Amino acid sequence: MAAAHHPPAPPVVYSFPSSDILVDSLAQFIVKAQKDSIDKKGRFTIALSGGSLPKMLAGLIGRTGVKWDKWQVFYVDERVVPLDHPDPIPESHIHALDPSLLDDLEELSDAYEQELIGEFAQKDAARFPVFDLILLGMGTDGHTGSLFPGHELLSETDRWIAYLEDSPKPPTSRITFTYPVINHAARVAFVATGEEKAEMLSTVLDRPEEGLPASRVKPVHPGSIFWFVDEPAASKLEYPKKSFKL
């Protein structure tokens, strides 16, 4: 019931002078989230989005303290390549899409929802899954995952996984986490880099009332939201930035 009495926490924005420092800081953040989760319940549930995000996780490779065998990895949308690292996550802990269902989006999304139910329903007994961490990117149009501006899925309040056949970006057919799943995470972290993201980052954080998809990510209490951005992406941002610290 606590969530009904607390507004969502405001975003915390960390700006970095270079992508290298961002990547290293993001890795520190992920390892800390992992440790907190494993100490609490013995596992770490993480969901990754696609685009350029996987290469932003390079700072985890070879890093002390990463317990790959405790990770349970899901995909926010289907445009994800598994993280290539020398310490492989056990295959049974990587929850990929079923390639045999790619021609039936409804069945594919239902099957992936069952994957989430299998991981979360018995362990956490919540209306929606509560990921320890969801990592997201942001498109230059303000989309995140496969939730696009003006799309009807922005108002989805029931399904965990939804599909669309009219994506404005190829491929047109996709499946995606919905806001009820994203906004029940314990932590959400966006990564946005490059001057081509500057205008949209300002819109999303300085003018959230415009309702762009990335602005609608507001984890319910006690969840928290963070932005890891480089200086070019933050160049037009009025929203206050903080120095990174764990």
Side-chain angles (χ1 to χ4, degrees), residues 31 41 51 54 82 99 117 130 132 152 159 166 185 190 201 210 214 235:
V31 172
K41 57 189 181 181
I117 290 171
V130 178
D132 298 312
E152 63 184 2
R159 287 178 290 176
D166 54 355
F190 276 93
L201 185 63
E210 294 191 18
S235 61

Side-chain angles (χ1 to χ4, degrees), residues 135-146:
L135 289 171
L136 297 173
M138 179 194 69
T140 53
D141 60 351
H143 86 268
T144 191
S146 286

Side-chain angles (χ1 to χ4, degrees), residues 5 28 50 77 85 91 101 121 139 145 151 154 165 169 172 178 188 190 205 207 210 222 235 245:
H5 304 292
Q28 293 180 48
D77 58 8
H85 51 70
E91 191 173 343
L101 300 177
H151 198 279
L154 300 186
E165 298 174 290
K169 289 185 64 177
T172 55
T178 59
V188 175
F190 276 93
L205 288 171
R207 299 185 296 281
E210 294 191 18
S235 61
K245 62 182 179 185

